[in-house]
Amino acid sequence: MSNSIRDILVVSEMDGNLLAGECNIPACNLETIRLFTMMGGNFTVATGRTKASVEMYPELVDLIAPAITTGGCIIYDFQKSKPAKNSILPHLAARRLCAMCCTSSPR
C-alpha cells in the first residue's frame, strides 16, 4: 500500500452523485476536487454520458484525469482532446448482437 496521495485515483459517477439535482456541481464538491488534485491526487468520472455531455461542465474538465464516458465505451483524455482508449466491436460480433437483440426483444 502506498503512502502517497499521487497514487490515489478517486472516480465518481456524475448523475446522482457528483451533480446536484439541478445538474450542477455543488461548489463544495468542486472545491474539494480542486484541493485534492492540487495536493497531487487524481480525480475522474465514470459515466454513461457522452464526451460532449461531460464537456458541459468546463470547471470539471480542467481537473479530471482521462474519463470513462459513454457507458465505458470510450476513455477520453480531455487534457489532450482525444480518446485515450476506445474499443470497436468487430463487425461479425456486432451483427450477431443486433440479430440476437432483434429476435429476443418484444415488439
Side-chain angles (χ1 to χ4, degrees):
M1 183 166 188
S2 175
N3 291 327
S4 174
I5 195 169
R6 294 187 189 290
D7 296 330
I8 298 172
L9 171 64
V10 174
V11 181
S12 176
E13 167 55 40
M14 291 182 69
D15 299 299
N17 292 294
L18 183 62
L19 300 177
E22 300 83 36
C23 287
N24 64 343
I25 304 172
C28 62
N29 289 0
L30 205 49
E31 185 58 25
T32 301
I33 295 166
R34 276 194 191 104
L35 289 171
F36 178 70
T37 57
M38 283 174 48
M39 292 170 55
N42 300 286
F43 180 84
T44 196
V45 294
T47 182
R49 290 172 174 252
T50 63
K51 168 189 120 14
S53 182
V54 176
E55 287 175 321
M56 292 171 51
Y57 302 91
E59 68 279 14
L60 180 64
V61 167
D62 292 339
L63 298 173
I64 59 177
I68 303 164
T69 64
T70 322
C73 294
I74 299 172
I75 300 174
Y76 194 82
D77 189 332
F78 288 96
Q79 310 311 315
K80 294 180 181 175
S81 297
K82 67 178 191 173
K85 176 76 177 164
N86 64 352
S87 297
I88 298 173
L89 197 59
H91 182 72
L92 181 58
R95 289 186 69 192
R96 286 181 180 162
L97 181 60
C98 288
M100 189 176 16
C101 290
C102 288
T103 58
S104 66
S105 123
R107 305 236 176 225

